[in-house]
Amino acid sequence: MEHLNIDGRRFYNMVVNACNELEEKKNFVNSLNVFPVPDGDTGTNMSMTFRGAVSQISGMQDLSIGDISKKLSKGALMSARGNSGVILSQILRGIAKGLENLDTADASEVSNCLVEGSKAAYKAVMRPTEGTILTIIKAAGDKAASSTEEDIVKLMEEVCAYSEEVLDKTPEMLPVLKKAKVVDAGGTGLLIILKGMTEALKNDMDIELTDKVEDKQTSTVHDGTDDADIKFGYCTEFFIKAKVDDISNFKNDLAKIGDSMIVVNVDDIVKVHIHTNDPGVVLSKALKLGELSKIKIDNMREQHRHILENEYPIEEQVNKEIETEEHKKYAFVSVAAGEGLVQIFKDLGSDCVIEGGQTMNPSTQDILSAVNKLEADNIYVLPNNKNIIMSANQAAELSEKNVIVIPTKTIPQGITCLTEFNVNDEEKANTKNMLESIDKVSSGSVTYAVRDTEMDGVQIKAGDILGLIEGKISKVGENPYEICYDLIKEMVNDESELISIYYGEGLNEEEVNSLTKRLESEYEDFDVQSNCGKQPLYSFIVSVE
């Protein structure tokens, strides 16, 4: 049976089948992650993006192919997660453009929509890299454009065969793929979609979207802890108006009466955040340095009880707070994973913290929803992860508000940006200062290998502890505390003054304290700060400034 035209029903079943196939094979796509760290989420991001798009056309088989593709594109735009998801959403946007206003599509129109998908994808990326999903959609478009087939099934089979041929060559295009002995994950995901669409058309299948429990993107604060587990009950923060050259003695005094301490000295302002059981003592010590302003003290035990009673997710808690806020000049949306890191960002002035990060990239819709709930003249977004920047930019483009994305790739970069921010400065000055501050901080992390591999001649076994500097593997060993120490030692240079450690969930606090004391002894002139981030997957996130 020839397929000379595709109507809305056929196209609907094609994309639903492709969605089911990608969901089934997403873990395989994840396994193609170049680096052996536990954040290989390309398959997850593409599957959630595509599933979000397909859910928007549920039950719309009777619409025209043009209308279905348009609704599919809009759904993908809002559901896009991670770089691969954003690029996939742009591919679908181009396909919708190629099918615009059509009731049905013949082979030449299907070819054109694939070409438009390629154009849209390349246009969305500032510096396109070959050997990626971009290369595969271009191969699909090029093959379709050069084909003389009128039967759409045969056309799609040609497209899939050529796309797979090009995919097999991606390791020759990207050295990092060749070293890891894998083909590109995003390109693989796209090929799965193309094959799934072809299969449904060829067999004239009527498909239903398979049931799936949506991946949880927000966590609750309820973690089984009791009020008694909160060692220091009052979150205390304020500013000291004073020109202080040396605040080391002040910081040493505070360290004895609290934890989660952050003290930043900028010009004639000292910003202080600490968890303590006696805010009065903290304020008394601060008054010796100068005048205090913007004092804020929160009873964390009371907050904890309130959250337990309501069992609200963190995002809902934040949204409830946002609804009561008045319009202001500036507001911040940040992304962070881990109860401790979420609290640090809120304490430093972030109005909304979307809980996410590695393996849990928020969608364009998640970020846009947070932005829309804020009432401010200027809204800054701190993605704090290189794989979230494109979704943040897409949300900024969709918003009618003045949204500025500061392209922070790490948690330390986001924290530094918040400490550099000055509410009294104009938007352009603040944006410039925060962009410049990104280059001032060196970021590292300690995690574990999820598979055997070889990187730069180094043999890595699953379970090995990995130390990364700016996302590149620098240390391999067995002890996360030793790896963290060695990592910081490599990161320190002659201009360094501050070492910040954010330790993850499940670590031994005594060993963390021993590591901190060892660093303080090694770097006597440095300010060494240790904070409980409770982040998953990463034993340590560290920065040197």
Side-chain angles (χ1 to χ4, degrees):
M1 175 183 174
E2 284 190 318
H3 293 78
L4 302 180
N5 285 279
I6 303 175
D7 60 9
R9 182 188 68 81
R10 284 197 172 114
F11 184 72
Y12 175 92
N13 286 301
M14 288 168 70
V15 295
V16 172
N17 190 56
C19 182
N20 291 343
E21 288 292 308
L22 184 58
E23 169 64 23
E24 184 180 332
K25 296 180 174 69
K26 69 179 181 182
N27 288 331
F28 168 69
V29 177
N30 286 340
S31 73
L32 298 175
N33 184 39
V34 170
F35 293 102
V37 295
D39 56 2
D41 47 9
T42 299
T44 299
N45 283 337
M46 292 185 73
S47 180
M48 292 186 75
T49 299
F50 202 43
R51 190 178 184 87
V54 171
S55 67
Q56 295 300 307
I57 60 170
S58 179
M60 298 182 181
Q61 297 95 319
D62 296 333
L63 295 181
S64 69
I65 191 171
D67 286 342
I68 289 179
S69 63
K70 184 177 181 180
K71 291 181 182 297
L72 187 75
S73 170
K74 287 185 177 179
L77 190 69
M78 302 308 290
S79 302
R81 298 174 189 272
N83 295 342
S84 56
V86 172
I87 293 172
L88 176 59
S89 75
Q90 293 302 313
I91 291 172
L92 294 175
R93 186 178 187 177
I95 287 174
K97 180 181 178 181
L99 298 175
E100 191 172 15
N101 298 324
L102 295 179
D103 289 326
T104 63
D106 61 21
S108 65
E109 289 162 336
V110 170
S111 296
N112 180 57
C113 81
L114 290 173
V115 171
E116 290 296 333
S118 175
K119 289 179 181 178
Y122 272 84
K123 187 178 179 181
V125 180
M126 187 174 297
R127 298 181 183 86
T129 301
E130 296 305 329
T132 65
I133 186 175
L134 295 173
T135 302
I136 306 308
I137 186 58
K138 186 175 186 300
D142 289 347
K143 187 62 179 179
S146 65
S147 177
T148 58
E149 281 290 349
E150 294 184 358
D151 186 324
I152 300 172
V153 168
K154 292 180 179 179
L155 168 68
M156 290 297 292
E157 287 177 336
E158 284 187 2
V159 166
C160 289
Y162 182 65
S163 298
E164 188 164 11
E165 185 181 321
V166 173
L167 178 66
D168 290 339
K169 295 177 181 177
T170 54
E172 301 302 321
M173 303 177 201
L174 270 181
V176 69
L177 294 175
K178 190 170 186 177
K179 286 181 180 179
K181 300 177 182 178
V182 295
V183 295
D184 180 66
T188 300
L190 180 59
L191 181 60
I192 290 170
I193 290 173
L194 293 172
K195 285 186 172 182
M197 294 176 71
T198 304
E199 178 191 31
L201 180 62
K202 183 177 183 178
N203 298 313
D204 200 21
M205 300 165 68
D206 284 316
I207 304 293
E208 291 185 3
L209 194 62
T210 55
D211 290 334
K212 172 182 175 291
V213 177
E214 194 68 24
D215 291 346
K216 196 172 183 182
Q217 292 294 299
T218 55
S219 306
T220 64
V221 180
H222 182 16
D223 59 359
T225 59
D226 187 78
D227 293 344
D229 293 329
I230 300 177
K231 186 176 180 181
F232 296 100
Y234 295 93
C235 175
T236 306
E237 55 185 319
F238 53 89
F239 291 87
I240 309 172
K241 297 180 181 179
K243 191 168 185 62
V244 185
D245 294 327
D246 185 4
I247 57 173
S248 58
N249 290 334
F250 173 64
K251 294 171 73 172
N252 289 336
D253 287 344
L254 293 192
K256 299 172 184 176
I257 55 174
D259 67 3
S260 298
M261 182 181 71
I262 297 175
V263 180
V264 180
N265 188 9
V266 181
D267 296 328
D268 58 349
I269 295 290
V270 181
K271 182 182 288 189
V272 179
H273 164 268
I274 187 172
H275 293 174
T276 181
N277 283 327
D278 199 335
V281 173
V282 173
L283 297 177
S284 295
K285 291 181 181 294
L287 278 169
K288 295 176 182 178
L289 297 181
E291 181 182 345
L292 308 186
S293 67
K294 297 185 179 178
I295 300 171
K296 182 171 177 281
I297 301 173
D298 291 320
N299 185 333
M300 294 189 295
R301 294 188 180 97
E302 183 178 58
Q303 290 178 339
H304 183 70
R305 287 193 295 270
H306 176 72
I307 292 170
L308 289 183
E309 289 167 2
N310 294 279
E311 292 188 343
Y312 286 135
I314 287 177
E315 189 174 1
E316 290 182 24
Q317 288 290 328
V318 175
N319 290 346
K320 283 169 68 66
E321 293 171 11
I322 290 173
E323 289 171 5
T324 63
E325 287 194 1
E326 297 180 357
H327 190 92
K328 54 187 180 179
K329 186 175 181 180
Y330 294 109
F332 279 87
V333 174
S334 305
V335 181
E339 183 183 336
L341 291 179
V342 168
Q343 190 61 50
I344 286 172
F345 274 93
K346 290 178 71 175
D347 290 341
L348 289 175
S350 191
D351 301 83
C352 178
V353 182
I354 302 171
E355 194 172 2
Q358 305 289 26
T359 76
M360 204 166 58
N361 299 153
S363 67
T364 297
Q365 179 67 70
D366 292 333
I367 298 170
L368 186 61
S369 295
V371 165
N372 287 341
K373 287 182 171 68
L374 293 170
E375 293 296 331
D377 296 330
N378 308 286
I379 301 173
Y380 286 105
V381 178
L382 303 174
N384 303 327
N385 185 300
K386 66 179 182 180
N387 209 30
I388 301 174
I389 294 173
M390 289 185 74
S391 296
N393 285 332
Q394 198 153 267
E397 291 174 7
L398 292 169
S399 177
E400 296 179 358
K401 300 179 180 181
N402 184 36
V403 180
I404 309 103
V405 177
I406 305 296
T408 50
K409 297 179 180 179
T410 67
I411 289 293
Q413 287 180 357
I415 290 173
T416 297
C417 284
L418 282 171
T419 58
E420 290 285 331
F421 171 76
N422 187 337
V423 70
N424 296 316
D425 285 348
E426 292 303 311
E427 181 263 309
K428 288 185 178 179
N430 265 318
T431 300
K432 179 175 179 292
N433 289 339
M434 284 191 283
L435 289 172
E436 290 176 350
S437 73
I438 290 175
D439 296 327
K440 297 178 183 178
V441 56
S442 176
S443 302
S445 58
V446 178
T447 185
Y448 62 93
V450 294
R451 60 180 172 84
D452 295 351
T453 189
E454 179 183 333
M455 299 293 293
D456 297 324
V458 179
Q459 293 294 329
I460 298 173
K461 299 293 183 182
D464 281 351
I465 303 300
L466 307 178
L468 294 83
I469 299 177
E470 306 300 348
K472 296 182 179 179
I473 297 173
S474 176
K475 306 292 179 186
V476 180
E478 298 179 354
N479 187 311
Y481 305 95
E482 288 298 322
I483 291 291
C484 184
Y485 174 80
D486 292 340
L487 201 67
I488 290 172
K489 194 170 183 178
E490 183 176 339
M491 293 167 66
V492 166
N493 59 40
D494 293 339
E495 297 178 358
S496 303
E497 298 177 343
L498 171 64
I499 297 172
S500 299
I501 301 171
Y502 307 91
Y503 58 94
E505 58 186 8
L507 290 195
N508 184 296
E509 195 166 338
E510 288 185 6
E511 292 195 63
V512 172
N513 291 337
S514 295
L515 171 64
T516 304
K517 290 177 182 177
R518 184 181 178 188
L519 290 168
E520 289 173 337
S521 176
E522 179 88 11
Y523 303 102
E524 293 181 355
D525 296 332
F526 283 56
D527 180 8
V528 180
Q529 298 184 0
S530 178
N531 304 276
C532 181
K534 290 190 178 181
Q535 69 271 8
L537 305 178
Y538 283 73
S539 301
F540 293 99
I541 295 173
V542 300
S543 66
V544 176
E545 299 177 62

